[in-house]
Amino acid sequence: HVRLGAVVQNNTAGNLEARVQLIASGFSLDADHQPVQTVDLPAGGRQEVYWWGTAEDVEAVELIFRAEAGDLQDATTPAGGQVPVLRYRGRQTFGTTGILEQAGQELELVSLPRSSDPRGGELRVEMTPSLAALALAELEGLRAEDDDFTEPIISRLLANAQTYLALSEAGMEDRLVLLREVIPADVEALQQRQLSDGGWGWAPLADPDAHLTAYGLLALVRAREAGFDVSEAVVSAAQNYLMATLITPSAGTPDWQLNRLAFINYVLSESGLTNVPPDALLPYRERLSPSGQALLAAALRGIDPDSADAAALVENLRGSAARTATGASWTAPDDDWRNLSTPVSTTSVVVSLLAELDPSSPLLAEAARYLVANWKPAGGWGSSYTTAWTLNALTAYMRASGDAQASFDFAAFLNGMELGGGSAAGPGGLQPVQAETSLAQLFPDSPNALVIERGEGPGRLYYRAYLDVSMPVEEARAFSQGIAVEREYLSGGQNCREAECTPIDRAELGQVQPVVARLTI
């Protein structure tokens, strides 16, 4: 509901009575407003004219303003031509994923929520005949990350190098051309950012960070394994920095620091330093997160392939997996955010290492389903760090399962009509097939049958279906992302950034007292 207006100018030397008209398409005037209004214009004067009305259900409205006074007349339109109609809507996305490991069909029922606006939205289906195709598609997103900070460079390098290893082993030479270009560039960029003490900081010239340094060293090690040139001096300097950060764990060591020690020990082992046994962490294995246990098991296995402690840790991981309809996953404790842990990244680390420690475990397929299910159409798996570890996990699983060698036909049908399909074999075999349809093609009041079908042949078909719908904005509910606000009053005269200040809750009348108010969001 909006007010439209025009200004009528009398450029003559006499008074005028003018008829001003609004001719509108896609715009309905209020009942008490007429399209034609009569105004009196003094010589050289002007008059504003207004109409109240409502935009109709159109993409844009066309407006013509006319003025007539005797034999004088004029007309105009808005400067930009048609005026677009913007709808205030709250978008909701409902998603489902699945894996077809054998020939057959999978039925997904798609129903429009009653609060949705059927004029806006779509149903999207993506079918991927191999995890290699999924990894290659998501690498494009990582390449678009900002290089102002160090972590996105490391994440991109780690994911690219791991994918390169997997595709090389699968004999997919045609897919390696672009990776051969981008990997050396990121290796050089990372080497140039190394600080004089051997570490890496989150930004150029920032203080070194042990977790980020271990992460960077791991990416360089994977690039070296893939056959790319990596400076041994850079690797050695990073190893020396990490060795200097190692501490002897004790009962008072925070759990997140134990997990970081497991990560550093694992990276040192992967980089070739097998003379640094992580045995000091074994008394605290029960306090480690699932990813910390997997990292410790891999570090122990790297030193002793027959390690009984590593086998026990793997067995514990099997038993601690949370199994749901969307697959198997592992969750880190709340304080492990210091190691950038999320449920998806924790599961990805476990899968990355479990694919080496226990490649025949049926948990791998379930966990891969969980990771695929948590992919988001706008942003992969959230951060570049989590996306890199997820791609690391999926390609590790692909290497363990031989998932790259897929050969079968597949298609998707909506209410009996084919949406799209393809073949996992041939030149286009690694290309995901995407199909979409508007909500106008869906039954509004009854379930719609979305059938995913695959034929005979080796490999797995991964599919993702997303229903994007619009609901009227007045029905949209506010939602909480866990924001908390805390206000404190502290005794002034102290540096509260460097030391804990004394909280106060009162002041005496007439007393002059410096107070620091601290707001924590």
Side-chain angles (χ1 to χ4, degrees):
H1 188 240
V2 68
R3 186 179 73 166
L4 301 179
V7 177
V8 188
Q9 174 77 34
N10 178 6
N11 293 325
T12 72
N15 298 335
L16 294 176
E17 182 182 83
R19 297 176 68 255
V20 187
Q21 180 182 13
L22 169 64
I23 304 172
S25 173
F27 186 79
S28 300
L29 292 174
D30 287 358
D32 57 345
H33 276 253
Q34 299 300 316
V36 179
Q37 299 184 38
T38 301
V39 296
D40 293 322
L41 296 170
R46 64 175 62 189
Q47 179 68 45
E48 297 176 351
V49 185
Y50 296 105
W51 296 266
W52 277 98
T54 303
E56 299 173 359
D57 182 24
V58 294
E59 295 299 320
V61 298
E62 295 184 5
L63 304 172
I64 301 175
F65 301 90
R66 293 177 55 87
E68 298 179 353
D71 58 353
L72 301 174
Q73 59 180 353
D74 196 6
T76 188
T77 62
Q82 292 184 336
V83 179
V85 176
L86 306 181
R87 296 177 177 85
Y88 286 94
R89 293 175 177 166
R91 298 193 68 83
Q92 286 186 311
T93 300
F94 305 89
T96 185
T97 64
I99 303 176
L100 273 72
E101 301 188 22
Q102 298 177 344
Q105 294 182 338
E106 188 74 22
L107 171 64
E108 300 281 2
L109 295 180
V110 182
S111 298
L112 291 175
R114 293 185 178 182
S115 62
S116 67
D117 182 347
R119 295 172 296 184
E122 62 182 3
L123 173 67
R124 302 195 312 277
V125 181
E126 179 182 285
M127 294 168 285
T128 306
S130 169
L131 284 176
L134 178 63
L136 288 170
E138 293 305 319
L139 287 178
E140 292 296 329
L142 280 178
R143 277 193 275 275
E145 289 286 344
D146 192 352
D147 288 352
D148 290 342
F149 296 94
T150 308
E151 178 271 319
I153 298 175
I154 299 175
S155 294
R156 187 169 59 233
L157 177 58
L158 178 65
N160 282 335
Q162 185 72 12
T163 303
Y164 187 94
L165 284 166
L167 298 185
S168 296
E169 292 176 358
M172 300 179 183
E173 287 294 321
D174 59 320
R175 301 289 171 174
L176 303 179
V177 177
L178 180 59
L179 292 176
R180 289 195 180 103
E181 296 177 3
V182 298
I183 290 178
D186 283 335
V187 168
E188 182 61 23
L190 186 57
Q191 292 181 156
Q192 291 293 330
R193 290 190 179 215
Q194 189 176 42
L195 302 172
S196 58
D197 59 6
W200 281 279
W202 291 96
L205 304 180
D207 292 337
D209 179 84
H211 183 269
L212 189 70
T213 299
Y215 189 42
L217 178 57
L218 180 62
L220 290 176
V221 168
R222 291 291 178 260
R224 185 174 63 183
E225 291 175 1
F228 295 92
D229 291 332
V230 175
S231 170
E232 289 302 322
V234 170
V235 171
S236 179
Q239 290 173 331
N240 291 335
Y241 173 84
L242 292 175
M243 288 290 294
T245 66
L246 288 177
I247 64 171
T248 301
S250 65
T253 304
D255 290 355
W256 68 266
Q257 200 162 4
L258 295 176
N259 290 321
R260 182 168 296 186
L261 280 172
F263 182 43
I264 293 174
N265 275 283
Y266 166 73
V267 173
L268 289 174
S269 173
E270 289 292 291
S271 69
L273 287 184
T274 56
N275 60 341
V276 189
D279 298 347
L281 280 169
L282 286 174
Y284 310 101
R285 70 183 76 184
E286 296 299 327
R287 292 172 53 190
L288 293 173
S289 69
S291 58
Q293 293 179 22
L295 291 163
L296 178 58
L300 292 168
R301 184 75 65 85
I303 297 172
D304 177 11
D306 299 319
S307 170
D309 290 318
L313 286 165
V314 170
E315 185 62 33
N316 189 57
L317 287 170
R318 293 195 195 104
S320 63
R323 288 181 167 90
T324 66
T326 58
S329 63
W330 292 265
T331 304
D334 291 341
D335 69 345
D336 210 42
W337 61 265
R338 294 176 174 86
N339 296 318
L340 307 183
S341 295
T342 66
V344 174
S345 68
T346 298
T347 301
S348 297
V349 173
V350 174
V351 172
S352 298
L353 302 175
L354 206 60
E356 301 176 10
L357 299 168
D358 190 17
S360 61
S361 172
L363 272 176
L364 288 174
E366 294 182 53
R369 181 183 296 111
Y370 169 84
L371 294 177
V372 173
N374 278 274
W375 176 87
K376 300 295 186 295
W381 286 273
S383 69
S384 54
Y385 181 85
T386 301
T387 296
W389 270 113
T390 304
L391 293 177
N392 197 60
L394 293 178
T395 50
Y397 168 63
M398 182 177 67
R399 295 171 71 185
S401 63
D403 187 67
Q405 306 300 331
S407 179
F408 53 83
D409 296 327
F410 57 92
F413 302 87
L414 177 65
N415 297 326
M417 301 294 292
E418 183 172 350
L419 287 178
S423 175
L430 280 185
Q431 296 298 325
V433 173
Q434 298 180 342
E436 59 186 41
T437 184
S438 68
L439 298 189
Q441 304 302 314
L442 274 66
F443 301 137
D445 301 319
S446 59
N448 296 266
L450 175 63
V451 175
I452 311 297
E453 180 180 274
R454 61 151 288 182
E456 296 285 351
R460 298 174 178 84
L461 176 68
Y462 302 83
Y463 69 86
R464 304 182 287 202
Y466 294 94
L467 179 67
D468 279 342
V469 297
S470 297
M471 59 188 298
V473 70
E474 58 270 16
E475 297 180 16
R477 296 180 180 179
F479 62 93
S480 170
Q481 291 283 10
I483 293 177
V485 180
E486 178 185 13
R487 181 188 288 112
E488 303 168 275
Y489 295 101
L490 311 169
S491 178
Q494 306 174 64
N495 187 342
C496 298
R497 292 180 179 272
E498 297 181 357
E500 280 298 317
C501 289
T502 305
I504 59 175
D505 60 3
R506 68 184 62 216
E508 297 300 329
L509 183 65
Q511 179 183 4
V512 177
Q513 178 182 359
V515 174
V516 174
R518 180 163 64 189
L519 186 69
T520 303
I521 300 179

